[in-house]
Amino acid sequence: MGDRLRLGIGIMGNAASMLLYGAPILTFARIMRKKSTEEFSCVPYVLALLNCSLYTWYGLPVVSYEWENFPVFTINGLGILLELSFILIYLWFASPTAKKVVSITSIGVILVVSITAIISTFGFHDHHYRKVFVGSIGLVASVAMYGSPLVVVKQVIETKSVKFMPFYLSFFSFLASSLWLAYGLLGHDLFLAAPNLVGSPLGIFQLVLYCKYRKRRIIEKPHKWDLEKIDDDDEKHKELQIVVADNTNGKL
């Protein structure tokens, strides 16, 4: 009964995670339509790629006992494909500076995953120790992934607008982390449950912020050149009024 319940929750967690990983599709459709990344951050997607890569490795029989964590392997494998697609689209439309930052962090992700895989394969000859090693690194990556939206949360609080914090991303993050928390607890797997103890409350926090600021628009201060332009337009308008008045007086 316990195994069936865990499998059922794992399947629901897969569905919720699929919606979570697919939620940015709308955001990236907008980026492609506008041919600009605007103020969107790529940090959550790079960290999600790291998390998916580590937990795909964690779910394989090389680390886990046979296919005990098959749902973890399948959804994170799909997540790798989606996150790579998002990062490539971001790189195509990003500014040169942003491209450099994202490229460097992406290379760092590849190095971390590669080193983890090599050490866990050749450095440990027992599944238990492999799970502890890979799970510990995955735990840190998961906490970082769930904490990455805090960059956007700061922006939401400063601008009092949720324009750059999509609702579905926050909602599915909360839903997926809650289901994987239950999956980890039922399987007595600390490395699956612990990061979601962070992800679930953060998802709730983002939803609360969304409800608070969803009807507000971005507050922007006028640029200096905008003010100068307004002053110039006022002066031209006054000059035009003087000329018209002079012409009228001349006719009279």
Side-chain angles (χ1 to χ4, degrees), residues 81-113:
L81 297 177
L82 287 172
E83 300 305 332
L84 277 175
S85 301
F86 296 148
I87 291 171
L88 289 174
I89 293 172
Y90 189 94
L91 284 171
W92 185 264
F93 294 105
S95 65
T97 303
K99 285 181 180 179
K100 184 177 180 180
V101 172
V102 174
S103 298
I104 292 172
T105 52
S106 297
I107 291 171
V109 166
I110 294 171
L111 288 174
V112 169
V113 174

Side-chain angles (χ1 to χ4, degrees), residues 54-80:
L54 288 171
Y55 275 100
T56 297
W57 183 247
Y58 184 86
L60 285 170
V62 178
V63 177
S64 296
Y65 295 98
E66 297 183 350
W67 288 105
E68 63 171 340
N69 286 315
F70 182 72
V72 176
F73 163 74
T74 54
I75 190 56
N76 284 287
L78 175 62
I80 291 174

Side-chain angles (χ1 to χ4, degrees), residues 14-53:
N14 264 7
S17 294
M18 190 178 298
L19 293 172
L20 170 63
Y21 293 142
I25 289 175
L26 296 176
T27 298
F28 282 89
R30 172 179 171 175
I31 288 174
M32 294 173 68
R33 186 173 62 253
K34 293 192 173 185
K35 301 184 185 303
S36 171
T37 56
E38 299 181 291
E39 297 298 321
F40 288 106
S41 172
C42 197
V43 172
Y45 309 109
V46 174
L47 291 175
L49 176 62
L50 174 61
N51 178 75
C52 289
S53 300

Side-chain angles (χ1 to χ4, degrees), residues 43-203:
V43 172
Y45 309 109
V46 174
L47 291 175
L49 176 62
L50 174 61
N51 178 75
C52 289
S53 300
L54 288 171
Y55 275 100
T56 297
W57 183 247
Y58 184 86
L60 285 170
V62 178
V63 177
S64 296
Y65 295 98
E66 297 183 350
W67 288 105
E68 63 171 340
N69 286 315
F70 182 72
V72 176
F73 163 74
T74 54
I75 190 56
N76 284 287
L78 175 62
I80 291 174
L81 297 177
L82 287 172
E83 300 305 332
L84 277 175
S85 301
F86 296 148
I87 291 171
L88 289 174
I89 293 172
Y90 189 94
L91 284 171
W92 185 264
F93 294 105
S95 65
T97 303
K99 285 181 180 179
K100 184 177 180 180
V101 172
V102 174
S103 298
I104 292 172
T105 52
S106 297
I107 291 171
V109 166
I110 294 171
L111 288 174
V112 169
V113 174
S114 299
I115 293 170
T116 301
I118 292 170
I119 293 176
S120 60
T121 302
F122 300 105
F124 301 98
H125 302 285
D126 181 84
H127 285 286
H128 173 71
Y129 292 110
R130 287 176 179 174
K131 287 182 71 174
V132 171
F133 177 70
V134 178
S136 298
I137 299 173
L139 175 60
V140 175
S142 290
V143 172
M145 182 187 74
Y146 286 124
S148 63
L150 291 176
V151 176
V152 181
V153 165
K154 179 184 176 183
Q155 187 178 15
V156 169
I157 295 173
E158 288 177 348
T159 62
K160 300 186 186 304
S161 169
V162 293
K163 180 180 179 182
F164 301 112
M165 188 179 74
F167 169 76
Y168 292 111
L169 194 61
S170 301
F171 175 71
F172 291 134
S173 176
F174 162 70
L175 184 61
S177 58
S178 298
L179 287 169
W180 286 116
L181 171 62
Y183 180 87
L185 290 175
L186 286 171
H188 305 288
D189 194 324
L190 174 66
F191 301 112
L192 292 177
N196 294 293
L197 284 171
V198 176
S200 191
L202 280 176

